[in-house]
Amino acid sequence: MEEIEEDMLKSSQGLNLSISEMHLLQAVEEIGLACTISTLSANQRVSLPSVTAAVNKLAHKGYVEKQKSPQDGRVVHVTLTRLGKKATTAHRYFHTRMVRSVSRALNAEEQEAMLKGVRKLNQFFADKLHREEGKP
């Protein structure tokens, strides 16, 4: 799956992103206006220095903008640029096309089985996330 996504990103006009960079852009989009280096670090379960380096790289490429908080200069807010929004839209479109393509190739019984499997997988990850959040 990651290889397919990587190929999609490479073939998308003007998008020079890795999968991890794309996932970071998606996190910036999902977090919204409250997005800071710290919230990204917690959201992605990646160290602050690693997120800082990744955000700096994305800013250099023109996908995000950084702005220090007027209330606390230690806090850096991260927002998507127009190019960043284009990238996340393209990635979402890729996933939509992929799901439609797979769904069309399945009969109703297979679609139901796939949906059941995805729901179980989603529950597995939700449970795992809940357990990890409860750890000290």
Side-chain angles (χ1 to χ4, degrees):
M1 173 73 166
E2 279 192 17
E3 288 176 7
I4 296 169
E5 282 185 287
E6 197 80 49
D7 288 343
M8 182 280 301
L9 289 172
K10 286 178 184 171
S11 67
S12 293
Q13 196 173 49
L15 301 180
N16 57 337
L17 294 164
S18 69
I19 293 299
S20 60
E21 289 172 327
M22 187 69 243
H23 290 163
L24 197 59
L25 289 178
Q26 287 179 304
V28 171
E29 181 180 55
E30 289 169 12
I31 295 167
L33 295 175
C35 187
T36 65
I37 299 290
S38 296
T39 58
L40 276 174
S41 174
N43 178 278
Q44 297 294 292
R45 301 187 187 299
V46 178
S47 71
L48 279 170
S50 295
V51 170
T52 300
V55 166
N56 286 340
K57 189 173 178 181
L58 287 169
H60 180 73
K61 289 181 175 185
Y63 291 98
V64 298
E65 290 179 342
K66 301 183 321 179
Q67 189 171 43
K68 286 192 178 189
S69 169
Q71 291 83 19
D72 185 345
R74 299 169 297 174
V75 176
V76 177
H77 291 275
V78 182
T79 57
L80 293 178
T81 62
R82 189 170 181 212
L83 183 60
K85 291 174 185 174
K86 175 185 171 187
T88 58
T89 299
H91 194 242
R92 218 177 5 266
Y93 178 69
F94 163 76
H95 278 276
T96 300
R97 279 187 19 222
M98 181 183 64
V99 168
R100 282 185 187 147
S101 178
V102 169
S103 294
R104 284 186 194 124
L106 303 175
N107 64 37
E109 185 179 320
E110 292 168 329
Q111 286 178 4
E112 187 59 38
M114 185 175 84
L115 184 59
K116 185 177 180 180
V118 169
R119 285 182 178 145
K120 284 186 177 189
L121 188 60
N122 188 47
Q123 188 60 52
F124 168 80
F125 285 121
D127 292 346
K128 184 172 175 56
L129 181 63
H130 181 72
R131 282 191 305 273
E132 286 183 12
E133 287 176 348
K135 289 181 181 176

